[in-house]
Amino acid sequence: FFTSIPNSARLATCLMHLGQHQAAVDAARKANATRTWKEVNASCVEAQEFRLAQICALYIIVNPDELEELISGYEQFGHFEEVISVMEAGLNLDRAHMGIFTELGVLYSKYKEQKLMEHLKLFWSRLNIRKMLRACEDNAQWSELTFLYLHYDEFDNAATAMIAHPTEAWDHSKFKDTISKVTNTEIFYKAIEFYLAQQPLLLNDLMSVMSQRVDHVRVVSQLRKAQHMPLAKAYLLATQPQNIKEVNDALFELYVKEEDHEALAAGVVEYTNFDAVEMAQMCEKHQLLQFRRIGAMLYRISKKWTQSVALSKKDKVWEEAISTTAESGDCALAEDLLSFFVGEKLSACFSATLYTCYPLLRPDVVLELSWRNGLTDFAMPFMVQTMREMSGQLEGLLDKERKREEAVIAEKKKAEEALASGYNGMDYAAADPNSMVVYGAGMGGGMGMQPGYGMPQQYGYQ
């Protein structure tokens, strides 16, 4: 009846119920309706006619909205291999779309994990990555999940996934490349913690990538807390040119532990931003003389003169003790050192101190010490120089006094000459009017005689 109408859709349904699946497929092909294809496909799957079911499915999967229902029809009967075969065949269709590639990836994730990575590498650009990410996460496929994160430019999530699942997802070169692109800087410190626990020997290589973006103070604190500072020595050396206090302190402590006195001596001179007193105290108790000398030098740099001299005296480094005392400018410290050398019967050092600390020593103290201890010969150059300076100073004072007296005499003489020149040829017009002699004063209008007339005329002030 349906053949004579003709109604291919109904005919396909009828043949399907009659169990004539091949004829039903042919009728569905003539009808070419999605609904018909779905009905025939479902019947073929139920009857396990998978070849015919695949023919029907290839006409269905070109419609994205029908994919999930089609796959569910296979899955409910447990025909996983068959539905995967259908989706693999659909990849070659001219009308293949993103849904086919995505759903095949999901099926691989569920039922054929060994083929998932290959599929992702080939078709990652044609996948719905967000849906694929959910599938990989649900099925604990961490390597594939990381791969998708990287191609989806979610570098923060990729790094976090590798840290959380190192056995499946971590690779050092890939992690280095990823960590350089993350935006959340907190991941840096999680990465450091992860490497300290899992891959400590690769930590310096990782830090070479992150060093421009991390907080070095926080990194040093993290390394101290983990007690793994020696592992990061290469990183500390690379960071030291920035002259950060915490980095310098950490590196100098490593030098002390490693007994590398040459590196420590060079470092404390070149990089000055560190706790010099704390480092000096650490070196002061070291068993090696070289470190104790560095400790004395650090005390000297910090102007802790007493501690520096005491440490030099303890180690019998007389030259440094004398030079530090001279640099301090402290008279009491110089005299104490001089008394120490006298007590230790170090005559040569006594003489050297007199020469080096000459401006700081009082002659009476030196004279008394040398006289009481039989060191007059050693003190004689000091006393000769002192007497020479004293005589020079005395001569200077006498000369200054003589010049002052000569200046006073010269000034007095000049004043007398100026006074004398006022009576001889003095220019009255230019003189003070009050100092001029007024003649005829008191003279009357008559012929009376001027007072003093006939007597010698007198000059000057009346």
mmCIF file of all heavy atoms in Angstrom, residues 248-280:
data_model
loop_
_atom_site.group_PDB
_atom_site.id
_atom_site.type_symbol
_atom_site.label_atom_id
_atom_site.label_comp_id
_atom_site.label_asym_id
_atom_site.label_seq_id
_atom_site.Cartn_x
_atom_site.Cartn_y
_atom_site.Cartn_z
ATOM 1 N N ASN A 248 71.064 39.113 49.929
ATOM 2 C CA ASN A 248 72.461 39.178 50.381
ATOM 3 C C ASN A 248 72.667 38.403 51.674
ATOM 4 O O ASN A 248 73.639 37.647 51.815
ATOM 5 C CB ASN A 248 72.876 40.631 50.573
ATOM 6 C CG ASN A 248 72.985 41.394 49.258
ATOM 7 O OD1 ASN A 248 73.177 40.795 48.206
ATOM 8 N ND2 ASN A 248 72.846 42.691 49.313
ATOM 9 N N ASP A 249 71.749 38.575 52.628
ATOM 10 C CA ASP A 249 71.869 37.861 53.905
ATOM 11 C C ASP A 249 71.857 36.348 53.685
ATOM 12 O O ASP A 249 72.667 35.616 54.262
ATOM 13 C CB ASP A 249 70.722 38.256 54.841
ATOM 14 C CG ASP A 249 70.880 39.662 55.392
ATOM 15 O OD1 ASP A 249 72.003 40.183 55.344
ATOM 16 O OD2 ASP A 249 69.883 40.244 55.858
ATOM 17 N N ALA A 250 70.924 35.895 52.848
ATOM 18 C CA ALA A 250 70.814 34.451 52.599
ATOM 19 C C ALA A 250 72.068 33.906 51.928
ATOM 20 O O ALA A 250 72.581 32.839 52.304
ATOM 21 C CB ALA A 250 69.584 34.169 51.733
ATOM 22 N N LEU A 251 72.580 34.646 50.955
ATOM 23 C CA LEU A 251 73.747 34.165 50.219
ATOM 24 C C LEU A 251 75.000 34.182 51.097
ATOM 25 O O LEU A 251 75.817 33.242 51.068
ATOM 26 C CB LEU A 251 73.961 35.032 48.976
ATOM 27 C CG LEU A 251 74.861 34.466 47.880
ATOM 28 C CD1 LEU A 251 74.398 33.084 47.456
ATOM 29 C CD2 LEU A 251 74.879 35.391 46.686
ATOM 30 N N PHE A 252 75.154 35.220 51.921
ATOM 31 C CA PHE A 252 76.323 35.288 52.797
ATOM 32 C C PHE A 252 76.278 34.176 53.858
ATOM 33 O O PHE A 252 77.326 33.632 54.247
ATOM 34 C CB PHE A 252 76.406 36.659 53.466
ATOM 35 C CG PHE A 252 76.673 37.783 52.496
ATOM 36 C CD1 PHE A 252 76.383 39.106 52.829
ATOM 37 C CD2 PHE A 252 77.181 37.530 51.238
ATOM 38 C CE1 PHE A 252 76.627 40.140 51.937
ATOM 39 C CE2 PHE A 252 77.431 38.546 50.340
ATOM 40 C CZ PHE A 252 77.149 39.851 50.683
ATOM 41 N N GLU A 253 75.090 33.843 54.319
ATOM 42 C CA GLU A 253 74.965 32.726 55.263
ATOM 43 C C GLU A 253 75.393 31.411 54.608
ATOM 44 O O GLU A 253 76.026 30.560 55.256
ATOM 45 C CB GLU A 253 73.528 32.626 55.761
ATOM 46 C CG GLU A 253 73.122 33.738 56.717
ATOM 47 C CD GLU A 253 71.661 33.675 57.090
ATOM 48 O OE1 GLU A 253 71.040 32.611 56.865
ATOM 49 O OE2 GLU A 253 71.126 34.673 57.605
ATOM 50 N N LEU A 254 75.054 31.254 53.346
ATOM 51 C CA LEU A 254 75.489 30.057 52.621
ATOM 52 C C LEU A 254 77.010 30.010 52.517
ATOM 53 O O LEU A 254 77.627 28.944 52.672
ATOM 54 C CB LEU A 254 74.881 30.044 51.215
ATOM 55 C CG LEU A 254 73.406 29.659 51.098
ATOM 56 C CD1 LEU A 254 72.976 29.680 49.635
ATOM 57 C CD2 LEU A 254 73.173 28.266 51.674
ATOM 58 N N TYR A 255 77.626 31.168 52.255
ATOM 59 C CA TYR A 255 79.084 31.215 52.181
ATOM 60 C C TYR A 255 79.710 30.783 53.501
ATOM 61 O O TYR A 255 80.724 30.071 53.519
ATOM 62 C CB TYR A 255 79.556 32.627 51.832
ATOM 63 C CG TYR A 255 79.247 33.069 50.419
ATOM 64 C CD1 TYR A 255 79.062 34.415 50.124
ATOM 65 C CD2 TYR A 255 79.143 32.157 49.377
ATOM 66 C CE1 TYR A 255 78.787 34.839 48.825
ATOM 67 C CE2 TYR A 255 78.866 32.571 48.087
ATOM 68 C CZ TYR A 255 78.686 33.912 47.817
ATOM 69 O OH TYR A 255 78.412 34.321 46.552
ATOM 70 N N VAL A 256 79.113 31.219 54.595
ATOM 71 C CA VAL A 256 79.650 30.852 55.904
ATOM 72 C C VAL A 256 79.524 29.348 56.121
ATOM 73 O O VAL A 256 80.466 28.680 56.584
ATOM 74 C CB VAL A 256 78.925 31.633 57.017
ATOM 75 C CG1 VAL A 256 79.369 31.146 58.392
ATOM 76 C CG2 VAL A 256 79.206 33.126 56.885
ATOM 77 N N LYS A 257 78.363 28.792 55.779
ATOM 78 C CA LYS A 257 78.151 27.351 55.964
ATOM 79 C C LYS A 257 79.070 26.534 55.054
ATOM 80 O O LYS A 257 79.537 25.462 55.432
ATOM 81 C CB LYS A 257 76.696 26.999 55.698
ATOM 82 C CG LYS A 257 75.731 27.543 56.739
ATOM 83 C CD LYS A 257 74.298 27.188 56.394
ATOM 84 C CE LYS A 257 73.328 27.763 57.438
ATOM 85 N NZ LYS A 257 71.917 27.457 57.101
ATOM 86 N N GLU A 258 79.312 27.048 53.860
ATOM 87 C CA GLU A 258 80.178 26.339 52.910
ATOM 88 C C GLU A 258 81.655 26.646 53.129
ATOM 89 O O GLU A 258 82.512 26.102 52.431
ATOM 90 C CB GLU A 258 79.784 26.726 51.480
ATOM 91 C CG GLU A 258 78.380 26.279 51.096
ATOM 92 C CD GLU A 258 77.953 26.823 49.745
ATOM 93 O OE1 GLU A 258 78.732 27.613 49.142
ATOM 94 O OE2 GLU A 258 76.856 26.470 49.278
ATOM 95 N N GLU A 259 81.944 27.562 54.072
ATOM 96 C CA GLU A 259 83.322 27.958 54.393
ATOM 97 C C GLU A 259 84.038 28.548 53.174
ATOM 98 O O GLU A 259 85.233 28.338 52.966
ATOM 99 C CB GLU A 259 84.115 26.781 54.971
ATOM 100 C CG GLU A 259 83.528 26.267 56.280
ATOM 101 C CD GLU A 259 84.367 25.195 56.927
ATOM 102 O OE1 GLU A 259 85.304 24.705 56.259
ATOM 103 O OE2 GLU A 259 84.101 24.852 58.095
ATOM 104 N N ASP A 260 83.282 29.289 52.392
ATOM 105 C CA ASP A 260 83.840 29.958 51.208
ATOM 106 C C ASP A 260 84.176 31.403 51.592
ATOM 107 O O ASP A 260 83.424 32.334 51.315
ATOM 108 C CB ASP A 260 82.834 29.908 50.059
ATOM 109 C CG ASP A 260 83.438 30.385 48.738
ATOM 110 O OD1 ASP A 260 84.586 30.877 48.757
ATOM 111 O OD2 ASP A 260 82.749 30.290 47.705
ATOM 112 N N HIS A 261 85.313 31.577 52.244
ATOM 113 C CA HIS A 261 85.659 32.897 52.776
ATOM 114 C C HIS A 261 86.015 33.882 51.659
ATOM 115 O O HIS A 261 85.812 35.095 51.805
ATOM 116 C CB HIS A 261 86.814 32.788 53.778
ATOM 117 C CG HIS A 261 88.067 32.211 53.197
ATOM 118 N ND1 HIS A 261 89.015 32.979 52.551
ATOM 119 C CD2 HIS A 261 88.531 30.938 53.150
ATOM 120 C CE1 HIS A 261 90.006 32.218 52.151
ATOM 121 N NE2 HIS A 261 89.746 30.966 52.494
ATOM 122 N N GLU A 262 86.532 33.400 50.544
ATOM 123 C CA GLU A 262 86.881 34.311 49.452
ATOM 124 C C GLU A 262 85.632 34.954 48.850
ATOM 125 O O GLU A 262 85.601 36.161 48.601
ATOM 126 C CB GLU A 262 87.650 33.540 48.381
ATOM 127 C CG GLU A 262 89.028 33.056 48.837
ATOM 128 C CD GLU A 262 89.755 32.298 47.740
ATOM 129 O OE1 GLU A 262 89.143 32.084 46.666
ATOM 130 O OE2 GLU A 262 90.925 31.936 47.949
ATOM 131 N N ALA A 263 84.607 34.134 48.615
ATOM 132 C CA ALA A 263 83.358 34.677 48.068
ATOM 133 C C ALA A 263 82.704 35.632 49.059
ATOM 134 O O ALA A 263 82.155 36.673 48.669
ATOM 135 C CB ALA A 263 82.400 33.537 47.722
ATOM 136 N N LEU A 264 82.755 35.301 50.340
ATOM 137 C CA LEU A 264 82.159 36.167 51.353
ATOM 138 C C LEU A 264 82.897 37.501 51.430
ATOM 139 O O LEU A 264 82.252 38.569 51.484
ATOM 140 C CB LEU A 264 82.186 35.469 52.712
ATOM 141 C CG LEU A 264 81.600 36.272 53.877
ATOM 142 C CD1 LEU A 264 80.147 36.610 53.621
ATOM 143 C CD2 LEU A 264 81.753 35.507 55.182
ATOM 144 N N ALA A 265 84.214 37.464 51.417
ATOM 145 C CA ALA A 265 84.994 38.705 51.498
ATOM 146 C C ALA A 265 84.709 39.606 50.298
ATOM 147 O O ALA A 265 84.568 40.821 50.441
ATOM 148 C CB ALA A 265 86.481 38.378 51.582
ATOM 149 N N ALA A 266 84.600 39.011 49.110
ATOM 150 C CA ALA A 266 84.297 39.810 47.916
ATOM 151 C C ALA A 266 82.866 40.331 47.955
ATOM 152 O O ALA A 266 82.598 41.472 47.563
ATOM 153 C CB ALA A 266 84.524 38.966 46.666
ATOM 154 N N GLY A 267 81.947 39.515 48.456
ATOM 155 C CA GLY A 267 80.535 39.906 48.469
ATOM 156 C C GLY A 267 80.235 41.060 49.408
ATOM 157 O O GLY A 267 79.503 41.984 49.055
ATOM 158 N N VAL A 268 80.796 41.023 50.607
ATOM 159 C CA VAL A 268 80.480 42.073 51.580
ATOM 160 C C VAL A 268 81.059 43.419 51.158
ATOM 161 O O VAL A 268 80.596 44.479 51.609
ATOM 162 C CB VAL A 268 80.989 41.697 52.983
ATOM 163 C CG1 VAL A 268 80.284 40.456 53.495
ATOM 164 C CG2 VAL A 268 82.505 41.504 52.987
ATOM 165 N N VAL A 269 82.059 43.396 50.313
ATOM 166 C CA VAL A 269 82.626 44.654 49.812
ATOM 167 C C VAL A 269 81.795 45.196 48.654
ATOM 168 O O VAL A 269 81.521 46.397 48.571
ATOM 169 C CB VAL A 269 84.092 44.437 49.374
ATOM 170 C CG1 VAL A 269 84.627 45.688 48.676
ATOM 171 C CG2 VAL A 269 84.960 44.084 50.570
ATOM 172 N N GLU A 270 81.349 44.308 47.765
ATOM 173 C CA GLU A 270 80.630 44.741 46.567
ATOM 174 C C GLU A 270 79.160 45.048 46.839
ATOM 175 O O GLU A 270 78.604 45.987 46.287
ATOM 176 C CB GLU A 270 80.734 43.659 45.488
ATOM 177 C CG GLU A 270 80.116 44.076 44.159
ATOM 178 C CD GLU A 270 80.386 43.059 43.076
ATOM 179 O OE1 GLU A 270 81.051 42.034 43.361
ATOM 180 O OE2 GLU A 270 79.919 43.274 41.932
ATOM 181 N N TYR A 271 78.517 44.253 47.701
ATOM 182 C CA TYR A 271 77.088 44.423 47.983
ATOM 183 C C TYR A 271 76.930 44.780 49.453
ATOM 184 O O TYR A 271 77.111 43.958 50.341
ATOM 185 C CB TYR A 271 76.321 43.141 47.657
ATOM 186 C CG TYR A 271 76.523 42.676 46.236
ATOM 187 C CD1 TYR A 271 77.339 41.572 45.955
ATOM 188 C CD2 TYR A 271 75.934 43.338 45.169
ATOM 189 C CE1 TYR A 271 77.540 41.154 44.650
ATOM 190 C CE2 TYR A 271 76.134 42.921 43.867
ATOM 191 C CZ TYR A 271 76.940 41.827 43.607
ATOM 192 O OH TYR A 271 77.134 41.419 42.320
ATOM 193 N N THR A 272 76.593 46.015 49.695
ATOM 194 C CA THR A 272 76.623 46.553 51.058
ATOM 195 C C THR A 272 75.271 46.537 51.755
ATOM 196 O O THR A 272 75.182 46.899 52.918
ATOM 197 C CB THR A 272 77.130 48.009 51.026
ATOM 198 O OG1 THR A 272 76.277 48.784 50.150
ATOM 199 C CG2 THR A 272 78.549 48.064 50.499
ATOM 200 N N ASN A 273 74.214 46.127 51.050
ATOM 201 C CA ASN A 273 72.883 46.133 51.655
ATOM 202 C C ASN A 273 72.635 44.811 52.378
ATOM 203 O O ASN A 273 71.998 43.899 51.852
ATOM 204 C CB ASN A 273 71.820 46.365 50.576
ATOM 205 C CG ASN A 273 70.441 46.562 51.170
ATOM 206 O OD1 ASN A 273 70.294 46.778 52.372
ATOM 207 N ND2 ASN A 273 69.414 46.479 50.343
ATOM 208 N N PHE A 274 73.162 44.704 53.594
ATOM 209 C CA PHE A 274 72.961 43.515 54.423
ATOM 210 C C PHE A 274 73.192 43.906 55.877
ATOM 211 O O PHE A 274 73.663 45.013 56.177
ATOM 212 C CB PHE A 274 73.896 42.378 53.999
ATOM 213 C CG PHE A 274 75.352 42.660 54.251
ATOM 214 C CD1 PHE A 274 75.983 42.157 55.364
ATOM 215 C CD2 PHE A 274 76.085 43.436 53.359
ATOM 216 C CE1 PHE A 274 77.321 42.418 55.600
ATOM 217 C CE2 PHE A 274 77.426 43.701 53.578
ATOM 218 C CZ PHE A 274 78.050 43.195 54.711
ATOM 219 N N ASP A 275 72.833 43.009 56.774
ATOM 220 C CA ASP A 275 72.995 43.267 58.209
ATOM 221 C C ASP A 275 74.432 42.948 58.597
ATOM 222 O O ASP A 275 74.778 41.799 58.888
ATOM 223 C CB ASP A 275 72.000 42.405 58.995
ATOM 224 C CG ASP A 275 71.901 42.838 60.449
ATOM 225 O OD1 ASP A 275 72.872 43.435 60.949
ATOM 226 O OD2 ASP A 275 70.872 42.575 61.084
ATOM 227 N N ALA A 276 75.272 43.976 58.597
ATOM 228 C CA ALA A 276 76.711 43.772 58.817
ATOM 229 C C ALA A 276 77.000 43.281 60.232
ATOM 230 O O ALA A 276 77.869 42.418 60.430
ATOM 231 C CB ALA A 276 77.466 45.067 58.532
ATOM 232 N N VAL A 277 76.286 43.800 61.219
ATOM 233 C CA VAL A 277 76.552 43.407 62.605
ATOM 234 C C VAL A 277 76.186 41.941 62.826
ATOM 235 O O VAL A 277 76.939 41.177 63.448
ATOM 236 C CB VAL A 277 75.774 44.315 63.572
ATOM 237 C CG1 VAL A 277 75.940 43.834 65.012
ATOM 238 C CG2 VAL A 277 76.257 45.761 63.449
ATOM 239 N N GLU A 278 75.031 41.535 62.308
ATOM 240 C CA GLU A 278 74.617 40.136 62.460
ATOM 241 C C GLU A 278 75.607 39.194 61.763
ATOM 242 O O GLU A 278 75.968 38.144 62.300
ATOM 243 C CB GLU A 278 73.213 39.956 61.879
ATOM 244 C CG GLU A 278 72.670 38.547 62.035
ATOM 245 C CD GLU A 278 71.273 38.410 61.475
ATOM 246 O OE1 GLU A 278 70.664 39.444 61.114
ATOM 247 O OE2 GLU A 278 70.783 37.263 61.377
ATOM 248 N N MET A 279 76.044 39.592 60.580
ATOM 249 C CA MET A 279 77.014 38.765 59.862
ATOM 250 C C MET A 279 78.358 38.725 60.597
ATOM 251 O O MET A 279 79.026 37.688 60.641
ATOM 252 C CB MET A 279 77.190 39.309 58.448
ATOM 253 C CG MET A 279 78.109 38.486 57.554
ATOM 254 S SD MET A 279 77.595 36.750 57.410
ATOM 255 C CE MET A 279 75.933 36.963 56.769
ATOM 256 N N ALA A 280 78.748 39.862 61.188
ATOM 257 C CA ALA A 280 80.002 39.898 61.952
ATOM 258 C C ALA A 280 79.924 38.969 63.158
ATOM 259 O O ALA A 280 80.897 38.264 63.476
ATOM 260 C CB ALA A 280 80.292 41.331 62.391
#
